[in-house]
Amino acid sequence: MSIVTVQLGQCGNQIGYEVFNAICSDFHSTHGICSKKENESYQEACKERFFSEEKTGVPVARAVLVDMEPKVISQTLSMAARSGHWKYDHQSHFCQKQGSGNNWANGYSVHGPTYRDVIMNLVQKEAEKCDRLSGFFTVMSMAGGTGSGMGAYVTQCLRDAFPTSFILNQVIWPYGTGEVIVQNYNSVLTLSHLYQSSDALLVHENDAIHKICAQLMNIKKISFRDVNQVIAHQLGSVFQPTYSSEGASQYSRSPLGDLMESLVPHPELKMLGLRNIPQMSENSLAYSTFTWPGLIKHLRQMLIAHAKMEEGIDWQVRPPLPGHPVPPKASPNQALHFNTSVANLVVLRGKDVQSVDLGGFRDPALYTSWLNPQEAFHIWKTPRAFNKYEKSASLVSNSQFLLQLMDNVVGKAWNMFASKAYVHQYTKFGIEEEDFLDCFTTLEQVISSYASL
Amino acid sequence: MWRGRAGALPAAIGALCRALPPGSRPAPETFRLAKFDRPEASLQIWRLLYSLLKQIHDGGWTELDTIGTQIRFVKSVLWYHGYGRPEFYQLPSDSSQGSRELLLAFSWLLNRISLLEQLLTVNRVKIRDEASVCTCEDNLSNSWKDRTEIALEPCLKREVDVRYLQWLNGRLRFQWRSLHVESQEQCKLLHKIHSYTSGCHMDQTIGHFSVTETDLIRQPDSYKQLLQSLESETSRLEAFLEWKRLEPVYWHWMETVLDTLSEDANTFKSEDVCKEKNTLPNANLCCHIASNIIGEIDKLTKDLVTLHDGLHELVTCKKSAWYEKVKSRERTLPDEREFCAAVRTITEAVKLKLSDLKYHCAHKKNGMHGPYRLVFKDKRSASKTGFLSSVSKEPITNVVNATEVISKLQMEEATLKRELKRLQEECRHKLDEIAEGLVGVICIPPMKR
């Protein structure tokens, strides 16, 4: 049940570091209210999942770091080693000197094939260290050149080399007003290529996380580090060990498998969104108490009303009444009110998880017509609390969360493409206009599948 | 004649009962009651048949079935094995009568499918180092499972959203992948055990511990359970040997059972005429299995006939071409000695090829069914075994090389892949034809990788 993480590009490496950090601090957290035995089996499961043993006793993260520039990787390696609690394997990284210049085609058609063997060698070594390889978790951003372009190529190679493993891509959606002019092209190309090889795409939006930092965490000057830490917290709250079925006697040995089977069996519907509640600064945490009914109610409304965090939720949005189906939208650009889900997964951690009532999530009105809630809704639980949160709930949702986002990006990219702006940068490296058209078509298909839920 | 061996019959039946697995032992009295068709015995024998047949076919997975379901299962298994007594299938589902018929069925199974031998094989103490190399399907389990599934879902005729089917297909794929991950893990751990404990085993030909033995070392207290199971197995084997010795007594006795049966049948023949014609327990159930098999047989016969014809054609073609060649060659005959030498080399080459073919066919007939024990042979120690083999007592029969199995499976995989590709092409053609028929629709194929 080990997961091998592949950190791609600057963004991927920084976030990957924060994820391992969050997991490690959760590992050592003494806040858990559960029994000692429970805590021990949790820690054992966590260790096997993310770290491998080494003679020195310091756990080594199961990760491969890839970047075209040396700066971020060396920073990441040294920060991890300094922590004393964990580190990276210093052999398990690959970097070059030149960078990709935010050019997707450069990353995909040039760097990818050139360094494919070296990178796959590193991945193979990590995979062999695992007794049981649950799958691969890649972290990348969509806007740049290395993470997105080379990341798409590496995902393809992973799929070719490990046809039966599960691959989950963590994708960072750039700021709407991002610095990279061609980020929309990069996003479109990345998404369409990932859709062919990956099993699921888990999306985090920089804009949304930024708001969380500003409003919930009360951070005045928000740095990338803060954003990354929030993302890492959310990911950790999903991927730390849980019991994935009622009456299970041991922690799930197949986290990625369970996730995939619950949420993304349909080949057209692979986009996942992640929400986590509660999220607040550590100072406020000490003075807050939570109740499960309150948390669940908020989480459910966040799902229904497309909310990105627990503040500013639109409570007016209601699920459609039976017999009154949601009217088909004239165009996806209309503000979506109600979020129809394909499937949802709720992860509960902390005190009194056994008593939580999740009936609200089993309402058939929340889900698309062709899937009933017994098959569409899943729960993972553990009595062991996560980090400093006495009770926390996460929602991984395969729903129309990302429909608007995708539509915007595709629309903007298409406008640029129609005027052939910057296309020569891509054709220079072998990405032709037909390839662009293929990508647009694929994404339009995905958008239409989600819109017609 | 058997009166002289009055003590032998109870001994035989006792041995038979002791040779059966511990959970499914009938009282010897049941046999006597069954001979006289006593109704008390019928429920016991139904239960006995159910549990024994489940062990052979389903690995002993007994669900909490009602007696009605159990009876249906037993009837279907007997039908599968070819038991043809209509009176058996007419027995009621409440197990109120028919113990003599059941006794006949039981004895038929004993003889026909070597029931005892199969049970002993299935219930051996496991060393958990096993792998199976045969790729045959168990037709019965498949069709039985299909039946129960469809019986639960009578509403299959309603319209289903194709997206739901895609969903289910995806889930199936993911579950298959998880299974793959699990079996890879098992292989890896087994390899670890074998390599870490190499050189420890007393039996030099094996050289390493099995999973059960390793477990015993880690948890010494579990030796009691292991000892108990081994003792139970030994006593069953001893009972089996005794049974084999006394078997003729049992069959003599069964003849008397048949005699009583025919006596009763003559008296009650008039009643049978009024019985319903519904001889098959569950017409759909058995017909489905039967029609499956019949369908397959028909297909095979058709294929064989086409192959035969094709082969015949080829042979005639080749023959005529060959005669032409021979005629043209006859004109340029080399001198006799060279000719004879050439003929000799040709005959030898042909013999070699034929023997190869024969070996291949014979080897296939053995079929590699049933479980095999996995033995890990390190490449380095291969040279050492060369010395040991001269010392070992008897050659090990039924040894299969992992590399052979792998190459065989790879060939099968290649054939299946070709078949899949062919079917995919067919599907693509069909879809293209349909797409051409649609007006105002553009079909865009999925993105190439």
Side-chain angles (χ1 to χ4, degrees):
Chain A
M1 53 129 145
S2 313
I3 301 178
V4 172
T5 307
V6 183
Q7 304 178 184
L8 297 150
Q10 177 182 341
C11 180
N13 277 299
Q14 287 170 338
I15 293 182
Y17 164 77
E18 295 295 346
V19 171
F20 280 111
N21 221 12
I23 290 174
C24 209
S25 54
D26 179 44
F27 180 89
H28 290 290
S29 142
T30 49
H31 190 77
I33 307 161
C34 58
S35 67
K36 185 160 175 253
K37 190 160 161 256
E38 184 77 56
N39 197 28
E40 277 175 5
S41 57
Y42 181 87
Q43 286 179 326
E44 210 182 293
C46 167
K47 204 150 168 228
E48 198 197 334
R49 211 175 267 201
F50 296 108
F51 301 97
S52 60
E53 301 251 350
E54 225 184 63
K55 295 187 192 90
T56 58
V58 177
V60 177
R62 298 186 193 272
V64 177
L65 294 79
V66 178
D67 197 4
M68 285 291 119
E69 295 168 329
K71 190 176 81 176
V72 176
I73 287 192
S74 52
Q75 264 178 6
T76 314
L77 289 174
S78 56
M79 279 201 296
R82 252 184 286 140
S83 74
H85 288 300
W86 67 283
K87 61 179 182 147
Y88 283 108
D89 180 351
H90 283 250
Q91 310 277 348
S92 249
H93 75 275
F94 173 78
C95 58
Q96 291 292 291
K97 298 275 195 285
Q98 72 257 62
S100 303
N102 287 330
N103 190 319
W104 194 93
N106 197 4
Y108 185 83
S109 311
V110 178
H111 293 316
T114 320
Y115 304 116
R116 172 210 177 118
D117 292 330
V118 181
I119 296 175
M120 289 313 291
N121 240 347
L122 292 175
V123 172
Q124 188 73 36
K125 269 200 226 141
E126 276 298 328
E128 276 167 17
K129 279 195 223 164
C130 308
D131 271 346
R132 178 187 174 114
L133 180 63
S134 176
F136 296 97
F137 178 61
T138 70
V139 192
M140 59 174 76
S141 89
M142 285 204 310
T146 308
S148 58
M150 200 160 150
Y153 188 79
V154 168
T155 309
Q156 219 169 288
C157 299
L158 283 177
R159 176 53 75 209
D160 290 333
F162 299 91
T164 53
S165 291
F166 298 104
I167 302 180
L168 173 66
N169 285 77
Q170 162 66 34
V171 175
I172 306 297
W173 207 277
Y175 286 105
T177 54
E179 332 82 60
V180 180
I181 295 189
V182 290
Q183 66 183 38
N184 294 315
Y185 280 162
N186 291 346
S187 307
V188 164
L189 290 164
T190 311
L191 283 175
S192 51
H193 278 85
L194 285 181
Y195 234 78
Q196 311 303 314
S197 356
S198 164
D199 292 315
L201 280 75
L202 182 58
V203 173
H204 271 110
E205 300 167 57
N206 269 344
D207 287 313
I209 308 289
H210 195 101
K211 263 203 214 131
I212 291 180
C213 287
Q215 295 182 6
L216 296 180
M217 317 277 287
N218 283 322
I219 304 174
K220 298 294 178 235
K221 268 189 83 177
I222 301 173
S223 66
F224 269 121
R225 186 106 195 264
D226 300 309
V227 170
N228 293 345
Q229 281 177 346
V230 172
I231 295 177
H233 175 88
Q234 293 196 346
L235 288 172
S237 75
V238 171
F239 290 112
Q240 283 289 62
T242 50
Y243 296 103
S244 48
S245 54
E246 281 297 326
S249 58
Q250 46 164 274
Y251 281 108
S252 165
R253 304 210 66 221
S254 185
L256 286 183
D258 292 337
L259 186 90
M260 304 298 181
E261 204 194 315
S262 324
L263 295 175
V264 290
H266 196 287
E268 290 275 316
L269 305 167
K270 291 182 184 175
M271 307 291 292
L272 300 175
L274 176 52
R275 302 283 182 270
N276 177 267
I277 181 173
Q279 289 221 255
M280 50 182 55
S281 63
E282 281 183 21
N283 303 331
S284 333
L285 195 53
Y287 303 109
S288 317
T289 51
F290 311 100
T291 60
W292 282 119
L295 290 174
I296 299 298
K297 203 163 124 190
H298 275 75
L299 198 61
R300 182 174 180 268
Q301 196 62 25
M302 279 163 77
L303 168 66
I304 298 175
H306 284 283
K308 313 279 166 83
M309 56 182 179
E310 60 256 44
E311 254 180 54
I313 303 177
D314 183 355
W315 289 94
Q316 298 300 319
V317 180
R318 290 281 148 80
L321 296 166
H324 296 260
V326 182
K329 294 143 189 91
S331 85
N333 277 326
Q334 261 181 7
L336 292 169
H337 288 296
F338 174 72
N339 179 27
T340 313
S341 307
V342 179
N344 290 315
L345 167 68
V346 167
V347 185
L348 301 172
R349 297 178 187 272
K351 195 169 163 198
D352 298 330
V353 273
Q354 297 310 321
S355 61
V356 181
D357 170 29
L358 286 156
F361 277 97
R362 292 204 178 93
D363 183 357
L366 262 58
Y367 299 97
T368 182
S369 58
W370 48 269
L371 204 57
N372 58 36
Q374 279 112 295
E375 297 187 70
F377 180 61
H378 302 90
I379 312 173
W380 292 359
K381 295 184 193 170
T382 171
R384 210 270 200 185
F386 180 67
N387 264 327
K388 297 197 172 69
Y389 291 83
E390 184 197 59
K391 300 187 177 87
S392 68
S394 305
L395 169 69
V396 184
S397 171
N398 185 356
S399 61
Q400 296 172 324
F401 264 158
L402 299 153
L403 182 51
Q404 190 84 58
L405 220 56
M406 278 199 290
D407 200 52
N408 285 342
V409 156
V410 172
K412 285 192 203 149
W414 182 253
N415 286 336
M416 279 177 78
F417 185 70
S419 48
K420 299 281 189 288
Y422 302 102
V423 173
H424 63 277
Q425 284 184 10
Y426 294 82
T427 49
K428 190 163 72 169
F429 290 107
I431 303 291
E432 302 300 330
E433 292 186 13
E434 283 104 58
D435 301 317
F436 269 96
L437 287 174
D438 278 340
C439 296
F440 280 115
T441 323
T442 313
L443 286 186
E444 285 290 349
Q445 178 67 42
V446 173
I447 290 173
S448 132
S449 303
Y450 272 105
S452 62
L453 278 181
Chain B
M1 116 203 86
W2 71 272
R3 255 174 276 134
R5 315 187 214 174
L9 178 64
I13 294 188
L16 173 62
C17 292
R18 284 198 320 275
L20 289 171
S24 340
R25 277 187 199 153
E29 184 65 5
T30 318
F31 287 87
R32 198 185 67 81
L33 292 172
K35 171 173 176 178
F36 299 109
D37 206 14
R38 284 265 172 270
E40 313 85 85
S42 48
L43 178 64
Q44 287 179 29
I45 306 190
W46 276 122
R47 288 242 170 88
L48 170 70
L49 285 172
Y50 176 72
S51 101
L52 294 180
L53 292 174
K54 266 285 183 174
Q55 283 181 41
I56 294 180
H57 283 287
D58 253 352
W61 188 275
T62 46
E63 292 123 33
L64 298 155
D65 283 336
T66 56
I67 186 65
T69 331
Q70 292 184 358
I71 290 180
R72 260 214 322 252
F73 176 77
V74 174
K75 284 186 181 174
S76 69
V77 175
L78 276 159
W79 176 260
Y80 174 76
H81 285 295
Y83 187 61
R85 259 185 89 76
E87 291 85 346
F88 169 75
Y89 296 104
Q90 284 168 351
L91 287 177
S93 309
D94 58 355
S95 69
S96 54
Q97 43 169 281
S99 50
R100 189 158 54 202
E101 278 302 326
L102 290 172
L103 180 60
L104 286 181
F106 175 70
S107 308
W108 184 86
L109 280 174
L110 264 187
N111 185 327
R112 186 56 179 252
I113 63 168
S114 315
L115 186 67
L116 273 184
E117 285 87 331
Q118 283 206 38
L119 285 168
L120 286 169
T121 318
V122 158
N123 286 319
R124 286 166 70 175
V125 171
K126 305 245 182 296
I127 52 168
R128 290 190 272 162
D129 253 21
E130 295 170 349
S132 153
V133 302
C134 83
T135 45
C136 315
E137 293 171 19
D138 183 0
N139 273 317
L140 178 63
S141 323
N142 287 345
S143 34
W144 174 253
K145 284 194 182 93
D146 289 336
R147 283 290 103 203
T148 42
E149 300 284 322
I150 295 178
L152 294 167
E153 292 220 22
C155 49
L156 221 57
K157 292 280 183 181
R158 69 179 149 86
E159 284 181 5
V160 178
D161 196 320
V162 70
R163 290 177 288 182
Y164 182 59
L165 296 174
Q166 287 176 304
W167 180 268
L168 290 175
N169 189 31
R171 278 191 64 193
L172 208 61
R173 281 208 161 137
F174 283 141
Q175 285 175 350
W176 181 83
R177 282 205 226 166
S178 299
L179 195 63
H180 191 260
V181 167
E182 295 236 7
S183 58
Q184 282 201 313
E185 185 195 12
Q186 194 196 25
C187 284
K188 199 151 192 175
L189 295 176
L190 207 59
H191 180 265
K192 272 190 177 170
I193 289 179
H194 286 189
S195 44
Y196 293 171
T197 61
S198 65
C200 300
H201 205 271
M202 275 176 55
D203 184 352
Q204 291 289 354
T205 47
I206 298 174
H208 59 72
F209 285 157
S210 64
V211 175
T212 314
E213 288 157 339
T214 316
D215 206 29
L216 202 57
I217 293 186
R218 292 180 70 220
Q219 291 165 34
D221 296 330
S222 58
Y223 84 92
K224 289 188 202 116
Q225 272 170 315
L226 190 61
L227 192 62
Q228 260 179 2
S229 1
L230 285 170
E231 281 176 345
S232 150
E233 195 181 331
T234 322
S235 59
R236 267 180 284 137
L237 287 168
E238 282 170 358
F240 178 72
L241 287 174
E242 201 187 322
W243 155 256
K244 274 304 191 192
R245 200 171 51 86
L246 296 170
E247 217 183 329
V249 176
Y250 182 78
W251 295 117
H252 279 302
W253 178 71
M254 281 306 296
E255 282 175 15
T256 67
V257 173
L258 276 174
D259 292 337
T260 43
L261 187 70
S262 45
E263 279 171 24
D264 289 344
N266 284 332
T267 4
F268 294 116
K269 216 183 178 108
S270 46
E271 279 194 36
D272 285 343
V273 178
C274 315
K275 283 231 167 86
E276 278 176 34
K277 287 269 172 132
N278 194 10
T279 47
L280 302 175
N282 192 345
N284 297 338
L285 175 76
C286 297
C287 277
H288 181 82
I289 299 175
S291 60
N292 253 351
I293 299 180
I294 291 178
E296 278 177 34
I297 294 179
D298 280 336
K299 212 173 86 140
L300 276 172
T301 342
K302 250 189 256 163
D303 287 339
L304 275 172
V305 167
T306 17
L307 274 174
H308 181 87
D309 290 336
L311 205 64
H312 193 74
E313 258 187 65
L314 266 175
V315 165
T316 24
C317 259
K318 283 239 160 117
K319 264 195 178 156
S320 50
W322 181 251
Y323 285 140
E324 293 292 321
K325 254 191 170 173
V326 167
K327 271 201 197 131
S328 57
R329 267 300 186 85
E330 262 175 3
R331 296 176 207 136
T332 56
L333 257 184
D335 99 272
E336 220 175 290
R337 218 174 298 154
E338 276 183 39
F339 187 67
C340 292
V343 167
R344 232 178 295 134
T345 37
I346 292 176
T347 5
E348 277 173 25
V350 168
K351 250 193 225 160
L352 204 66
K353 275 202 176 161
L354 280 178
S355 67
D356 223 17
L357 202 68
K358 265 193 213 155
Y359 170 77
H360 195 67
C361 289
H363 203 71
K364 264 209 166 163
K365 258 190 236 153
N366 288 345
M368 301 188 271
H369 303 286
Y372 275 79
R373 176 174 180 165
L374 292 167
V375 176
F376 179 58
K377 287 244 180 287
D378 200 356
K379 276 196 215 120
R380 285 177 277 132
S381 61
S383 54
K384 289 191 195 151
T385 53
F387 294 118
L388 285 174
S389 58
S390 56
V391 186
S392 67
K393 291 119 194 167
E394 74 251 7
I396 311 165
T397 50
N398 248 2
V399 170
V400 176
N401 231 323
T403 28
E404 277 173 34
V405 178
I406 291 175
S407 48
K408 219 177 72 112
L409 287 172
Q410 279 173 335
M411 285 198 296
E412 270 189 53
E413 184 192 8
T415 338
L416 286 171
K417 273 199 177 143
R418 280 198 295 270
E419 177 81 16
L420 178 67
K421 231 177 153 182
R422 193 181 59 82
L423 289 169
Q424 281 177 333
E425 278 303 314
E426 264 183 50
C427 268
R428 239 170 254 143
H429 280 302
K430 270 193 216 157
L431 284 173
D432 284 339
E433 281 173 27
I434 296 174
E436 275 170 30
L438 293 170
V439 182
V441 169
I442 308 172
C443 288
I444 305 172
M447 213 166 109
K448 286 197 196 66
R449 293 225 282 131

